């Protein structure tokens, strides 16, 4: 079976396990958070399959899907005074991440690095112009998320471990 399909089936299985956890009250999360998990899992699966194999479209789509899942998770988990001010920087950051992954896959193409840096810089400038960013608050919330969702991270690491063993 192709690794790409195996990863997709693993993602579906993980989502079913998460739904079961939700049903039995082990974890409580919204439907939006579940979709964000699905995007993250499918995106990281595509990146894993495409990286280093000259599959630029899959790599870019996988990175964008993963980062979109992270964005969905953040907007579902935290309250924002002005969510619309977050959309443009998030979009630019997602595109920058996809471009940067393409550069990491083919480091001889320096144009991709330049494109990704321009998108990262644009996202940062829009963040400064449209809103405010506090590093302490960011890291505090990051630690909170890791402590709350450690089991999901562990399951993802186990999936990657079993995939590596199959190679």
């Amino acid at each position: 079976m192709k690794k790409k399909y195996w990863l997709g089936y693993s993602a579906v299985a993980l989502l079913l396990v998460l739904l079961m956890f939700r049903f039995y009250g082990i974890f409580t999360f919204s439907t939006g958070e579940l979709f964000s998990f699905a995007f993250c899992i499918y995106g990281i699966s595509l990146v894993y399959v495409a990286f280093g194999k000259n599959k630029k479209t899959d790599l870019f789509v996988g990175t964008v899907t993963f980062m979109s899942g992270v964005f969905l998770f953040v907007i579902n988990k935290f309250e924002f005074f002005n969510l619309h001010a977050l959309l443009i920087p998030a979009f630019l950051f997602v595109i920058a991440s996809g471009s940067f992954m393409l550069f990491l896959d083919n480091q001889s193409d320096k144009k991709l690095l330049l494109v990704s840096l321009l998108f990262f810089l644009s996202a940062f400038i829009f963040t400064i112009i449209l809103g405010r960013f506090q590093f302490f608050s960011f890291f505090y919330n990051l630690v909170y998320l890791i402590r709350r969702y450690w089991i999901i991270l562990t399951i993802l690491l186990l999936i990657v471990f079993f995939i590596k063993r199959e190679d």
Side-chain angles (χ1 to χ4, degrees), residues 115-129:
V115 168
S116 65
L117 289 175
L118 287 173
F119 275 108
F120 278 127
L121 182 63
S122 299
F124 183 69
I125 289 170
F126 269 99
T127 302
I128 291 171
I129 292 171

Side-chain angles (χ1 to χ4, degrees), residues 22-157:
R22 179 178 163 185
F23 179 76
Y24 288 109
I26 296 171
F27 286 114
T28 55
F29 45 82
S30 68
T31 304
E33 286 176 293
L34 187 64
F35 276 112
S36 71
F37 295 149
F39 275 47
C40 286
I41 293 166
Y42 186 68
I44 200 98
S45 300
L46 271 177
V47 168
Y48 180 79
V49 169
F51 194 81
K53 296 181 180 71
N54 201 24
K55 296 181 177 182
K56 293 180 186 334
T57 304
D58 285 350
L59 182 61
F60 186 79
V61 169
T63 304
V64 167
T65 303
F66 173 78
M67 293 305 293
S68 298
V70 170
F71 177 70
L72 283 173
F73 182 79
V74 168
I75 63 172
N76 279 296
K77 205 67 193 147
F78 300 101
E79 291 183 31
F80 294 95
F81 295 116
N82 187 2
L83 183 61
H84 296 290
L86 188 64
L87 294 177
I88 293 172
F91 174 77
L92 292 170
F93 186 79
V94 166
I95 298 301
S97 299
S99 300
F100 188 68
M101 286 301 291
L102 289 175
F103 166 72
L104 290 177
D105 192 42
N106 181 11
Q107 294 182 7
S108 64
D109 192 355
K110 303 295 185 203
K111 292 176 194 169
L112 290 170
L113 178 61
L114 180 63
V115 168
S116 65
L117 289 175
L118 287 173
F119 275 108
F120 278 127
L121 182 63
S122 299
F124 183 69
I125 289 170
F126 269 99
T127 302
I128 291 171
I129 292 171
L130 298 176
R132 57 179 199 230
F133 181 77
Q134 297 173 345
F135 285 105
F136 177 76
S137 177
F138 172 76
F139 288 113
Y140 175 80
N141 289 319
L142 182 65
V143 169
Y144 164 78
L145 291 173
I146 290 170
R147 285 195 320 205
R148 174 135 191 231
Y149 295 103
W150 66 271
I151 187 99
I152 296 168
L153 294 172
T154 304
I155 292 170
L156 283 172
L157 289 173

